[in-house]
């Protein structure tokens, strides 16, 4: 009851903190580069521009820390309007290094009108959920060196109706072993790493009024993780998976 809920909250916060601390390295490293450039610039205008860019990166890092602090205090997502193409760009930026290191073919599937749609979400939390799903897929490929197919991961986005959006992270890796529950609480196959864990990721999805689930009987992909979120903020009830007859449908 209360003990499990408390443990879940602490575990979720710790996992979030680890992932976000990892992401802080990017703006802080960029800020240091801009400051170094400002110190060596011969033209005053160039130095000012570099210093301004460093300030923007430091502000971005501060916003991330502040966001984590607010979530720790309130336990609720901080909703704002975010375009779907911006969320996909965030994701690509966060996973690009790992994709290159793993020699993975990464593709994005979203139509133009969907990409331009803005939804109410917690941008930082959704970044963490999606990044973790892609990283899990990369790790699955890395753990299957004898795989015959070229490693391929796809991020797709669909508006399922006027009220919900679905992100699908699909891969052609080894899949989930029969009987394994990847969402088991406080259980992980990896001894180290900065991932949220699927249990925590699903909890964050449900805090949004959404859900996260796995499809294993897809005709094209070995695994498909589906993140469904309400388009306009918190829904009254967490959005569950679609009917069983629909989950194996192949995206157009």
């Amino acid at each position: 009851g209360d003990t499990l809920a408390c443990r879940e909250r602490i575990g979720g916060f710790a996992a979030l903190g680890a992932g976000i601390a990892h992401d802080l390295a990017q703006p802080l490293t960029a800020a240091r580069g801009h400051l170094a450039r400002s110190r060596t610039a011969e033209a005053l205008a160039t130095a000012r521009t570099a210093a301004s860019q460093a300030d923007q990166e430091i502000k971005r890092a501060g916003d991330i820390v502040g966001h984590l602090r607010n979530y720790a205090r309130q336990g609720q997502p901080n909703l704002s309007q975010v375009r779907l193409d911006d969320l996909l760009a965030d994701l690509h930026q966060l996973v690009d290094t790992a994709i290159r290191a793993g020699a993975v073919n990464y593709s994005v599937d979203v139509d133009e009108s969907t990409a331009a749609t803005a939804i109410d979400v917690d941008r930082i939390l959704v970044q963490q959920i999606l990044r973790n799903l892609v990283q899990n897929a990369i790790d699955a490929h890395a753990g299957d060196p004898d795989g015959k197919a070229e490693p391929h991961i796809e991020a797709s986005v669909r508006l399922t109706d006027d009220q919900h959006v679905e992100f699908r992270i699909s891969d052609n890796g080894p899949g989930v072993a029969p009987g394994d529950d990847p969402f088991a609480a406080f259980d992980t196959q990896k001894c180290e790493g900065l991932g949220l864990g699927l249990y925590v990721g699903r909890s964050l999805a449900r805090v949004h009024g959404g859900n996260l689930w796995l499809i294993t009987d897809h005709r094209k992909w070995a695994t498909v993780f589906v993140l469904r979120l309400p388009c306009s903020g918190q829904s009254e009830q967490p959005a569950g998976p679609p009917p069983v007859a629909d989950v194996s449908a192949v995206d157009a």
Side-chain angles (χ1 to χ4, degrees):
D2 291 343
T3 303
L4 180 61
C6 181
R7 190 178 173 191
E8 178 179 338
R9 178 83 178 273
I10 292 171
F13 179 66
L16 263 179
I20 289 176
H22 180 263
D23 293 343
L24 281 174
Q26 186 180 34
L28 293 178
T29 299
R32 290 189 65 186
H34 292 312
L35 288 173
R37 188 158 55 89
S38 73
R39 287 194 297 267
T40 59
E42 295 182 5
L44 180 59
T46 301
R48 284 178 173 171
T49 298
S52 175
Q53 290 171 330
D55 182 66
Q56 290 174 8
E57 294 293 344
I58 292 169
K59 181 181 182 300
R60 185 155 71 98
D63 288 344
I64 292 173
V65 172
H67 197 101
L68 181 60
R69 183 179 63 244
N70 290 339
Y71 180 72
R73 288 175 179 169
Q74 301 170 8
Q76 293 296 323
N78 180 17
L79 303 179
S80 63
Q81 283 265 304
V82 187
R83 281 174 53 121
L84 290 171
D85 53 2
D86 287 338
L87 284 171
L88 290 171
D90 290 343
L91 175 61
H92 196 183
Q93 184 179 44
L94 289 171
V95 301
D96 186 58
T97 300
I99 286 169
R100 292 175 185 274
V104 173
N105 176 14
Y106 177 79
S107 60
V108 174
D109 180 17
V110 60
D111 63 62
E112 217 172 297
S113 61
T114 300
T117 301
I119 64 173
D120 282 326
V121 293
D122 186 311
R123 186 169 187 159
I124 299 293
L125 297 188
V126 172
Q127 284 175 6
Q128 293 298 310
I129 298 169
L130 292 173
R131 191 272 296 272
N132 186 65
L133 294 175
V134 173
Q135 186 63 57
N136 284 347
I138 293 171
D139 292 345
H141 278 295
D144 184 36
D146 298 327
K148 296 178 181 178
E150 176 190 7
H152 186 188
I153 299 171
E154 180 183 87
S156 67
V157 186
R158 295 287 185 274
L159 294 170
T160 58
D161 52 44
D162 292 339
Q163 298 170 335
H164 295 94
V165 61
E166 282 186 5
F167 296 84
R168 293 191 173 201
I169 304 299
S170 310
D171 74 83
N172 65 341
V176 176
D180 281 358
D181 179 9
F183 293 99
F186 315 113
D187 181 33
T188 177
Q189 300 299 315
K190 293 180 287 185
C191 296
E192 56 188 43
L194 296 170
L196 283 176
L198 291 169
Y199 179 79
V200 175
R202 187 168 62 183
S203 295
L204 293 178
R206 288 175 175 175
V207 162
H208 274 83
N211 213 341
L212 175 66
W213 67 91
L214 169 67
I215 297 172
T216 57
D217 59 348
H218 201 282
R219 281 175 282 173
K220 179 178 179 182
W221 303 100
T223 58
V224 179
F225 282 95
V226 183
L227 171 64
R228 177 187 282 179
L229 298 173
C231 292
S232 54
Q234 186 81 15
S235 60
E236 293 182 5
Q237 296 293 332
V244 172
D246 181 51
V247 296
S248 61
V250 177
D251 290 332

